Amino acid sequence: MNSTIQPATPQDIAELRQLYFDVYGHGYPVALGSDPAVMHRLITDPHSHWLTARRTDTGELAGSVVVQTDRGNRLGKLVGLAVHPCHRQGGLAGRLTGAVTADAFATGALDSLYTTVRMVTQAPQRVVARNGYRPLGLLPNAADVSGCETLALFACYAEGVLDRREQATAVPRAVVPLLQAAEESTGVPYLAAHAPATEDLAPPASPPAGGTATATAAAGTATLTAPAATRTHTPLEVINAPGFVRRRFRELFPDPAGAYTPLCSPNTVLTAPDGAFEIYAALDPAAGSCALVAVHPYPSAAAGALNSLMATLSRAGADYVETLVPLSDTAGLHAFLSAGFVPSACYPAMRRVGDRFQDHVVLSRTDRQIDFRTTAVSPLIQPYLSAYLTAWASTYLPQHEVAR
């Protein structure tokens, strides 16, 4: 099939909504495929890149892809890649990915692009890898499309960015398996320049009530049942008022690069009654997920309330919670690790600081069962699956039950 790739226009919105419905049905959890107002805003945003593919003979819409950008962090996210079922197997997904990636980097305003891909088949992983995206890890239970799905994280970089990374001087021991997997899968060095790993805060002595696990390192044979949130008496107050939360967030983080989760707009704040900390979160009950955008005054300030946080978010409909922490922030990493968060992905050179770049770690926690048996794990992602299983077992299993 011959097709023409061109920028989307507002006149395409009705056809685009139909395309995403044809591809995903009613299960697509992203507003850019269903909400006309969001779609119009992105199409007309001069800093976003939305491309469509149409058949040259009939003009029929065959595919779509979007790159959203965070100019403050010089970072973009590739989302919404969709090819109509009637037009697959012809390489159109790869052409769209390559075209929108080239367009985004051509502006000179971005240092990196990242994307998350579904793992129901290996095809999406191969498409992005062939267009220069490096595998960075996986996000178990991160998407609720047709049930809970695990996503794979990939990123690609502008020239020279990875050569200007600021090396961390020490890392928590629990993060080492992830970094070793990253070196194996991408060739990006982490551990050679590090001082010996620091000891982690003590993990739970045993899984909290309701937690069981069976795990092997082979892809397709692992099933993990996440433990329930531990009981805690740390009180939390919840403010779910998006307009107020965004205004308050901008007051505390006036620098667009100040928040450590780019491209996330908080709509909820969780705070201690005495105001000792404020946790800003992007809560999406429809997708069953939540991203912790930032903690004021610093991540480890909320260390004692993270189990309360999980229980509160679970009641609000979020079974999956993730956060980004700089690899150099050992206190912040220890805080989340001690609350049952598991390192699942790393993002080298994610944030520019002066003329250097900071590595970040994605830590996630899910209170639903994780079932990898239907997950299509490519060789690029396999090291990350093994590292995740090791980290999960080290966190939630008594040491005598962890097979060596």
Side-chain angles (χ1 to χ4, degrees):
M1 179 199 75
N2 292 324
S3 60
T4 301
I5 296 177
Q6 58 193 24
T9 69
Q11 289 71 35
D12 296 327
I13 290 176
E15 287 182 277
L16 285 165
R17 292 181 71 198
Q18 185 62 49
L19 170 69
Y20 286 103
F21 177 80
D22 291 341
V23 173
Y24 296 104
H26 291 291
Y28 192 58
V30 182
L32 69 84
S34 59
D35 187 326
V38 172
M39 298 170 76
H40 188 277
R41 177 175 56 79
L42 284 173
I43 288 173
T44 57
D45 180 356
H47 304 294
S48 295
H49 307 265
W50 193 324
L51 299 182
T52 62
R54 291 185 177 275
R55 290 186 54 150
T56 54
D57 52 354
T58 66
E60 178 186 358
L61 184 66
S64 170
V65 68
V66 186
V67 164
Q68 299 173 266
T69 63
D70 180 334
R71 290 191 297 157
N73 284 288
R74 294 181 55 85
L75 181 147
K77 181 180 183 181
L78 187 151
V79 292
L81 176 62
V83 174
H84 195 280
C86 294
H87 304 298
R88 292 174 182 168
Q89 310 303 323
L92 184 55
R95 289 181 56 209
L96 280 166
T97 299
V100 79
T101 299
D103 279 1
F105 278 126
T107 65
L110 300 180
D111 296 316
S112 67
L113 284 173
Y114 76 96
T115 188
T116 55
V117 301
R118 299 175 71 192
M119 299 179 67
V120 290
T121 70
Q122 291 189 24
Q125 302 165 57
R126 292 195 295 264
V127 165
V128 294
R130 288 169 183 164
N131 282 279
Y133 287 76
R134 299 167 183 249
L136 304 183
L138 47 79
L139 310 173
N141 281 6
D144 192 352
V145 182
S146 53
C148 276
E149 292 187 13
T150 293
L151 303 180
L153 178 66
F154 286 77
C156 65
Y157 296 85
E159 186 175 355
V161 168
L162 288 174
D163 297 329
R164 292 151 57 195
R165 293 167 54 228
E166 193 71 43
Q167 295 288 326
T169 57
V171 296
R173 193 174 301 280
V175 179
V176 171
L178 171 66
L179 302 184
Q180 291 173 331
E183 289 192 359
E184 178 182 345
S185 190
T186 66
V188 175
Y190 285 92
L191 297 174
H194 290 155
T198 64
E199 291 297 332
D200 295 319
L201 298 180
S206 60
T212 61
T214 58
T216 66
T221 61
T223 301
L224 304 182
T225 302
T230 56
R231 295 193 176 189
T232 176
H233 299 292
T234 305
L236 281 179
E237 296 178 352
V238 182
I239 302 172
N240 189 0
F244 168 79
V245 171
R246 284 192 291 269
R247 290 194 302 272
R248 172 72 173 163
F249 179 75
R250 286 194 293 265
E251 291 174 1
L252 294 177
F253 299 92
D255 181 357
Y260 54 79
T261 301
L263 289 166
C264 276
S265 179
N267 56 15
T268 304
V269 64
L270 302 97
T271 182
D274 61 2
F277 60 83
E278 295 179 8
I279 304 171
Y280 288 83
L283 176 64
D284 187 352
S289 66
C290 180
L292 303 184
V293 180
V295 179
H296 179 78
Y298 46 84
S300 57
L306 290 178
N307 280 309
S308 288
L309 170 75
M310 288 300 303
T312 301
L313 292 175
S314 180
R315 290 192 296 270
D319 298 299
Y320 169 85
V321 181
E322 70 179 28
T323 188
L324 269 168
V325 180
L327 183 58
S328 59
D329 181 5
T330 55
L333 290 171
H334 281 310
F336 285 102
L337 290 166
S338 66
F341 281 73
V342 179
S344 59
C346 56
Y347 196 140
M350 194 206 81
R351 170 161 288 119
R352 182 193 286 252
V353 180
D355 63 348
R356 306 288 290 176
F357 291 88
Q358 276 188 346
D359 298 343
H360 279 60
V361 175
V362 181
L363 299 108
S364 62
R365 178 169 163 175
T366 176
D367 289 336
R368 288 192 193 181
Q369 174 177 304
I370 310 170
D371 191 344
F372 291 120
R373 289 174 296 182
T374 59
T375 301
V377 181
S378 71
L380 293 170
I381 297 297
Q382 176 61 51
Y384 292 109
L385 176 58
S386 299
Y388 183 84
L389 296 175
T390 297
W392 196 98
S394 296
T395 301
Y396 289 117
L397 291 183
Q399 290 301 307
H400 66 273
E401 293 187 17
V402 179
R404 297 294 184 184

